[in-house]
Amino acid sequence: MASKTPNLLELKPALNNQSKTNADETSPSRSPRSSPTQIGKQLLKPLQKPLQLFSSSATGNPRNKCALKPGHSLMDWIRLGSSGCDLAGTGGVVSAVSHKELAKNCKCDDAWLAIRGKVYNVTRYMDFHPGGTDELMKGVGKDATKIFDEVHAWVNYEQLLGKCYVGPLRNIATISIGDDNASSTNTDSFKAPPDSFKAPHTVATNQLTLKPPTNAMSEPIEVIPRFDWIQKTTDLTVIFYTKSMCNPGFSVECMGECEVVVRIFIDRVMHFCSFQFTHPVVWPCSIKMSSETGKIELCFTKAAPALWTSFGLLDRRKTTELTNCFVEYDVITRVQISHDSYAIIIKPKQNILQHFPIGYHISVTAKIDGSETSRSYTPVPTSYLTLPCPSSCIPFLIKSYPTGILSKFLTTGDPLANSFFLSYPKGNFVLQHLSNFNRFGILAAGSGITPMLSLLDYLLKRTSNKVEAINFCYFNKVEENIWCRERLDLLAEGNERLKITYYLSEPSPSWTGRTGHITSDVIKTLIDPSTANISTFCCVCGPQPFNELALEFLQGAGFQSSDLHIFHG
């Protein structure tokens, strides 16, 4: 609908429109569409039929099935999978599979296929397939994801073929050295020199350059948040749709009982959304954010329960000029957690809530002894601290250095530090790059664990391409320097996908864990194909010498830039 003034949006009263008013005050009002119950029934209809893979027919009906031999029903297949029979044919060892290796297994009596980066041995499944052997063979020896999605993407193939799992699908590149005109090819012909080890998925070193493929991604499309709203009698929910895994940061600031400003940060662009609500709302709002979908929900309690005919007015604009985007904070809680480390909780001076992107840091700036000093820190999830942290506050773990002017100001000042400023989120971590990987290595040293904590939470909760293994290696000098150990141990105990190994360079006599610094042997533990924790993507954060050594060892093991991320402050 056309706005009354430039950059101003107003929803017209719509008393007869069910999209914004609803006689049923217990459910959110939306624009006319199928109800969730109706949608749910439609989605459940196919699930009432037996599971099948790649079935089709000359009639054009992908649900048509062929007659199965006696003893080859779905229940017979389930019983076979539960019998202990080695359906994968691997002896229980999970190994990465290249496209070339996959293509070799393309016969009825030796049939492998890949779906969404996972390779399955479907040889024994041939006679159980409702669509017949010929239909299943269409996907054998290759990545069959497209074929599978075209026929029935709703099938739970991971459950159906779980006992047939061979390993993750990988690529190996042969790279010409010293020739700018050389091109990379998708092949397995690279030969590792004796006494060396190579990651099972890629090859790269400091001296190797992998030219981008001819079908390289084009320039990224700018993400512009889409706006919607729903309401109940008692509350109003403002919704912004960004983009799947675009990893937005945002803040919500209350300017008055009817005025709220939302700032959404995406790829170094700040989107301002200034609301003038029709009626007063209560501060603070509640926030719900999905990193996977990019959906942001802000729920405001109405000061007076009622159904509104309009949310009010919305003024939108954007800017890339972020130098003045600072928020003033005070330290309200400080607790020493080791001889040189502190947990602090900071509170904004204004009514503002902030959410930071995964893997991003902020600059803290304070005026100390007449001069401004800045340093970068990464907020940590509240679950890793035992301190109470109100929704408007931000927790940090900070190491105090003898010569660190700002760290001493924040951790040892008396009274508690106040009137310092936080910048907009900064960083170059691209969450989307992790979407095609489901086995991760995390290498952290000292305070370099801080960006890994929010990343770890995200990986463990991820539902799309569910993470299969996380190998977390945490390096410190002495045992008391291990931050968040209690929380990390609880996570590892409650999740078999997570393995945490602590390394100490100056251990006490009572220490029974691993010792030493990061070495090539540590990297071997990340890429050993005989283990359940093999990693195909690695994240690294620590002091600069640690980062440089980790990068050298990872590249020597075959990781290339697309397979790892180094966090820098």
Side-chain angles (χ1 to χ4, degrees):
M1 183 176 293
S3 57
K4 290 184 176 180
T5 59
N7 298 321
L8 206 58
L9 175 64
E10 178 180 10
L11 263 175
K12 297 292 185 180
L15 295 176
N16 296 323
N17 190 339
Q18 293 181 4
S19 66
K20 303 303 175 191
T21 58
N22 195 321
D24 182 4
E25 297 178 358
T26 63
S27 61
S29 57
R30 295 179 177 270
S31 52
R33 64 192 71 174
S34 300
S35 70
T37 303
Q38 292 172 328
I39 295 173
K41 289 180 179 179
Q42 294 169 1
L43 292 176
L44 287 173
K45 283 182 180 179
L47 296 176
Q48 297 169 0
K49 300 188 177 183
L51 295 174
Q52 54 180 322
L53 289 176
F54 309 145
S55 65
S56 63
S57 71
T59 65
N61 182 2
R63 302 276 187 258
N64 285 357
K65 302 183 289 292
C66 68
L68 296 174
K69 300 176 184 178
H72 288 78
S73 67
L74 174 61
M75 292 308 300
D76 292 319
W77 173 251
I78 294 173
R79 279 192 287 269
L80 179 61
S82 303
S83 67
C85 179
D86 183 14
L87 297 180
T90 61
V93 178
V94 174
S95 302
V97 180
S98 70
H99 283 271
K100 187 174 181 179
E101 292 168 326
L102 176 62
K104 293 178 180 178
N105 300 271
C106 59
K107 301 176 182 179
C108 282
D109 58 352
D110 182 19
W112 292 8
L113 58 78
I115 304 177
R116 294 188 177 90
K118 295 183 178 181
V119 178
Y120 299 94
N121 183 346
V122 295
T123 307
R124 296 292 299 274
Y125 183 66
M126 284 289 175
D127 291 335
F128 292 84
H129 181 232
T133 300
D134 291 342
E135 295 302 325
L136 189 57
M137 285 298 295
K138 291 180 180 179
V140 167
K142 58 187 176 182
D143 187 338
T145 304
K146 184 177 180 180
I147 302 175
F148 173 76
D149 286 341
E150 287 176 348
V151 179
H152 37 223
W154 50 269
V155 170
N156 189 346
Y157 66 91
E158 291 181 305
Q159 179 179 348
L160 187 67
L161 299 178
K163 299 299 177 64
C164 303
Y165 181 60
V166 177
L169 184 64
R170 65 176 170 88
N171 291 303
I172 289 184
T174 296
I175 306 167
S176 299
I177 306 175
D179 183 1
D180 291 340
N181 296 320
S183 60
S184 60
T185 59
N186 192 16
T187 177
D188 286 341
S189 61
F190 181 90
K191 300 295 183 182
D195 303 323
S196 70
F197 59 96
K198 293 294 171 185
H201 55 297
T202 53
V203 176
T205 70
N206 283 324
Q207 289 74 39
L208 304 185
T209 301
L210 180 61
K211 290 181 178 290
T214 55
N215 60 344
M217 295 177 62
S218 58
E219 288 297 317
I221 300 175
E222 180 183 1
V223 178
I224 300 178
R226 295 185 294 109
F227 165 73
D228 197 2
W229 69 288
I230 59 176
Q231 67 168 318
K232 296 179 183 177
T233 302
T234 57
D235 57 63
L236 169 78
T237 301
V238 172
I239 305 170
F240 291 96
Y241 300 92
T242 57
K243 184 182 178 182
S244 175
M245 296 187 188
C246 76
N247 200 20
F250 61 89
S251 66
V252 189
E253 184 173 4
C254 178
M255 312 300 290
E257 62 179 11
C258 294
E259 187 177 356
V260 172
V261 174
V262 180
R263 302 173 179 89
I264 302 175
F265 176 85
I266 305 174
D267 295 333
R268 298 179 179 83
V269 177
M270 191 75 79
H271 300 265
F272 289 84
C273 301
S274 180
F275 290 91
Q276 186 69 43
F277 292 133
T278 304
H279 304 286
V281 295
V282 179
W283 181 260
C285 66
S286 63
I287 293 176
K288 185 178 180 181
M289 164 67 191
S290 171
S291 298
E292 284 194 72
T293 65
K295 182 181 179 181
I296 302 169
E297 297 180 73
L298 311 174
C299 184
F300 296 87
T301 300
K302 296 177 179 178
L307 286 177
W308 300 357
T309 58
S310 167
F311 74 85
L313 304 175
L314 171 59
D315 182 17
R316 304 185 63 164
R317 56 191 175 89
K318 67 177 182 178
T319 182
T320 56
E321 180 54 56
L322 306 177
T323 55
N324 295 320
C325 297
F326 287 89
V327 181
E328 190 173 6
Y329 279 82
D330 297 331
V331 173
I332 61 169
T333 305
R334 182 181 69 204
V335 175
Q336 188 168 1
I337 58 175
S338 72
H339 73 282
D340 62 356
S341 302
Y342 297 79
I344 67 171
I345 306 295
I346 66 174
K347 182 179 181 179
K349 287 184 176 292
Q350 56 263 57
N351 291 327
I352 190 170
L353 303 174
Q354 290 191 273
H355 173 89
F356 298 97
I358 296 171
Y360 276 56
H361 59 271
I362 49 88
S363 291
V364 177
T365 302
K367 195 169 186 178
I368 305 172
D369 297 331
S371 60
E372 286 191 349
T373 302
S374 295
R375 195 181 187 284
S376 295
Y377 294 101
T378 304
V380 298
T382 56
S383 59
Y384 288 88
L385 302 182
T386 57
L387 305 175
C389 185
S391 60
S392 62
C393 298
I394 302 173
F396 287 92
L397 292 172
I398 295 178
K399 183 175 181 179
S400 182
Y401 295 91
T403 58
I405 297 175
L406 187 58
S407 65
K408 288 195 297 183
F409 169 77
L410 294 172
T411 60
T412 62
D414 187 17
L416 295 177
N418 62 81
S419 298
F420 52 90
F421 295 86
L422 265 63
S423 73
Y424 59 92
K426 299 179 179 180
N428 60 357
F429 178 67
V430 182
L431 192 63
Q432 181 67 37
H433 288 173
L434 278 59
S435 60
N436 293 325
F437 298 86
N438 56 19
R439 292 177 168 272
F440 295 89
I442 295 179
L443 303 170
S447 60
I449 193 177
T450 53
M452 304 303 191
L453 298 179
S454 59
L455 175 62
L456 179 61
D457 282 358
Y458 161 75
L459 292 175
L460 290 175
K461 296 175 183 177
R462 195 173 79 179
T463 57
S464 59
N465 194 14
K466 188 175 180 179
V467 172
E468 296 181 353
I470 303 173
N471 201 335
F472 196 143
C473 301
Y474 187 20
F475 297 80
N476 282 283
K477 183 177 291 186
V478 295
E479 189 171 359
E480 71 166 329
N481 286 347
I482 302 176
W483 287 359
C484 308
R485 184 176 182 180
E486 182 177 351
R487 171 63 176 169
L488 290 172
D489 288 343
L490 284 175
L491 282 175
E493 290 173 8
N495 200 313
E496 61 181 9
R497 297 176 296 162
L498 175 61
K499 176 186 176 183
I500 299 179
T501 307
Y502 303 109
Y503 292 82
L504 298 183
S505 59
E506 297 180 8
S508 66
S510 61
W511 175 253
T512 58
R514 299 290 182 89
T515 61
H517 300 274
I518 186 170
T519 64
S520 60
D521 288 335
V522 174
I523 306 304
K524 288 182 182 180
T525 66
L526 299 180
I527 64 172
D528 184 354
S530 66
T531 68
N533 295 87
I534 183 173
S535 304
T536 54
F537 191 99
C538 280
C539 293
V540 180
C541 188
Q544 189 62 26
F546 175 87
N547 289 349
E548 292 174 354
L549 272 177
L551 179 60
E552 177 184 343
F553 294 139
L554 286 168
Q555 289 181 324
F559 284 84
Q560 59 182 9
S561 59
S562 60
D563 307 322
L564 55 88
H565 181 84
I566 310 294
F567 290 94
H568 297 284

